[in-house]
Amino acid sequence: MASHLTQISSVFLPCVSAYHDQAYIESVFWTVFETEESPIRHIDLILKEDLNKPNCFYHIAFVFFKPLPTTDLIARFAADIESGKRVKVVHSEPWYWNTRKNTRPKQVRKPPRILSEADEGEIKEAQKALRNRRATDKHESPCGGIPPDWQDFYDHEDEM
């Protein structure tokens, strides 16, 4: 192994089976990269329901990597991800994930707190806006289409 380290940008997996968990995703990348230690710092999984198939669930995943020993494979993967290319990672032949650079801004959540009367109107407006957005969104999931939050992500698919 080379002596210097490569930092891979975090990646987005738009459709991961609901049967797969963080440990499974970690084991796939560990096997692919053939590192001595796990290459994963952490994984965020978000459970979604396919809007076209009620009671059909899947995850979207955000994978964050540790700095890794540089190998040809890791360097090529990091360069492809950084350049915006879609990299297909076979996790269970013939199934694969379309892996891309995570371009979403980091979500910063406010800590739990007691809601003041001054904040209540702002909170209620934000809740109303979310409910209205959900009611008007008619997009599909990435397992059978594209979710509304990721439309921009797929708009440039043909350019790759």
Side-chain angles (χ1 to χ4, degrees):
M1 283 192 202
S3 61
H4 80 290
L5 301 176
T6 298
Q7 181 62 62
I8 300 172
S9 296
S10 64
V11 298
F12 168 62
L13 308 176
C15 187
V16 175
S17 170
Y19 300 107
H20 296 148
D21 59 8
Q22 288 101 331
Y24 179 76
I25 295 169
E26 180 179 22
S27 71
V28 168
F29 282 101
W30 200 344
T31 301
V32 168
F33 292 149
E34 299 178 334
T35 55
E36 291 180 20
E37 296 179 5
S38 171
I40 305 301
R41 186 168 36 118
H42 76 277
I43 298 169
D44 293 334
L45 282 180
I46 300 170
L47 186 65
K48 298 281 191 170
E49 182 174 12
D50 190 325
L51 299 176
N52 292 327
K53 301 174 190 171
N55 297 316
C56 180
F57 295 93
Y58 65 96
H59 290 111
I60 61 174
F62 300 91
V63 181
F64 299 85
F65 297 94
K66 297 174 184 175
L68 301 172
T70 303
T71 64
D72 289 340
L73 176 71
I74 290 171
R76 190 171 57 250
F77 180 84
D80 287 349
I81 290 297
E82 194 58 40
S83 71
K85 290 182 182 176
R86 176 182 57 192
V87 178
K88 294 180 181 181
V89 175
V90 176
H91 59 86
S92 180
E93 187 78 38
W95 307 110
Y96 63 88
W97 295 314
N98 285 313
T99 306
R100 293 222 181 183
K101 182 177 180 180
N102 175 14
T103 59
R104 302 284 285 179
K106 184 176 181 178
Q107 301 293 317
V108 179
R109 292 193 172 261
K110 293 182 180 180
R113 67 187 194 282
I114 302 296
L115 186 63
S116 70
E117 287 183 31
D119 292 337
E120 188 173 359
E122 182 182 325
I123 295 291
K124 286 188 176 192
E125 283 300 313
Q127 290 172 339
K128 183 178 176 182
L130 281 172
R131 280 193 292 274
N132 288 339
R133 180 173 165 224
R134 288 180 185 149
T136 59
D137 282 341
K138 304 279 189 222
H139 291 84
E140 301 173 3
S141 77
C143 294
I146 303 168
D149 293 348
W150 296 98
Q151 183 66 46
D152 292 340
F153 187 81
Y154 288 92
D155 283 346
H156 305 288
E157 185 87 346
D158 295 332
E159 297 171 11
M160 301 297 161

